[in-house]
Amino acid sequence: MALLLRNIALVFIFFYSVSISPISVFGRPATFVEDFRVTWSDTHIRQIEGGRAIQLVLDRNSGCGFASKRQYLFGRVSMKIKLVPGDSAGTVTAFYMNSDTDAVRDELDFEFLGNRTGQPYTVQTNVYAHGKGDREQRVNLWFDPAADFHTYSILWNHHHIVFYVDDVPVRVYKNSGRVPYPTSQPMGVYSTLWEADDWATRGGLEKIDWSKAPFFAYYKDFDIEGCAVPGPANCATNPSNWWETINYQALSALEARKYRWVRINHMIYDYCTDRSRYPVAPPECMAGI
């Protein structure tokens, strides 16, 4: 009986320690205050739900932003976001990764471009590798992203970068070996809410209506699984990391069908087909999925 009670106690201690551990070996944020920091205008970022969710505010005085306290090299980052509702023209809600290295920066961007009431929300993605960007693609979302939370994710491994809206891939950037690809610089996770009515909505034709201010965006369920830097030196090169395994080296057949559906039905701009900018398509545009 004593041995049985001892084993039960050990099991209880194991599960209790697992349940309260806020961050895995690779870093999994539990709350905003624990794993992120305000980078811009702390008076415009409000914690709600005990720090498990936050509200970003944009008004005439300021926008705001936050960033992860650590940087990561490969993995997956995701957040649930509810975007600015109603007449949000001229606003930009951004969720991105950035190496913070200026001229040779690596960056992976989600930018949600506000709209006039009744018009679809547009999400713009961009990829900077070794300082080179200008790889914009735009997709009109097929739902109202201000009505409820949706999950936006970036998967980054040695094989490709995939941008997901819920479980739908909307952008793929392959490591083809023919173009720059982010492999060596860790990146932090950032988000901002700001005014950009000189370009955000219909190329700047639609201006922000400050009579509708303040504007609010909401975030929750912050999730980062990746190799934290500083951290174990061999983490980023470990092929056993789940995001490097064979199931994540290319889109599945189902994901490929969803990706083609987005491109056929909802893509409104692709730099790869913009001959005014690129008379010859950039080499990464030939890489496929």
Side-chain angles (χ1 to χ4, degrees), residues 46-163:
R46 302 166 182 166
Q47 294 184 49
I48 56 178
E49 298 181 14
R52 292 185 298 275
I54 57 170
Q55 178 193 65
L56 272 61
V57 182
L58 167 65
D59 58 25
R60 282 185 177 273
N61 296 317
S62 183
C64 56
F66 66 89
S68 59
K69 292 180 179 178
R70 305 183 74 178
Q71 290 185 312
Y72 301 86
L73 188 57
F74 300 112
R76 184 187 66 185
V77 55
S78 68
M79 296 181 186
K80 288 185 178 178
I81 307 174
K82 185 162 66 171
L83 296 175
V84 176
D87 188 343
S88 58
T91 69
V92 175
T93 307
F95 160 44
Y96 59 102
M97 302 185 72
N98 187 300
S99 62
D100 196 23
T101 47
D102 295 329
V104 292
R105 82 181 189 273
D106 295 330
E107 184 171 311
L108 312 174
D109 294 338
F110 267 121
E111 291 179 310
F112 304 94
L113 312 182
N115 61 357
R116 286 268 97 98
T117 302
Q119 299 300 311
Y121 242 101
T122 298
V123 56
Q124 174 172 283
T125 58
N126 203 351
V127 174
Y128 283 79
H130 302 184
K132 173 65 172 67
D134 299 326
R135 298 183 174 98
E136 301 92 347
Q137 293 183 352
R138 292 185 178 187
V139 168
N140 279 344
L141 293 174
W142 50 95
F143 54 87
D144 180 0
D148 204 351
F149 285 93
H150 289 266
T151 302
Y152 303 93
S153 309
I154 300 171
L155 173 71
W156 170 33
N157 61 31
H158 283 83
H159 304 275
H160 61 183
I161 296 161
V162 186
F163 295 78

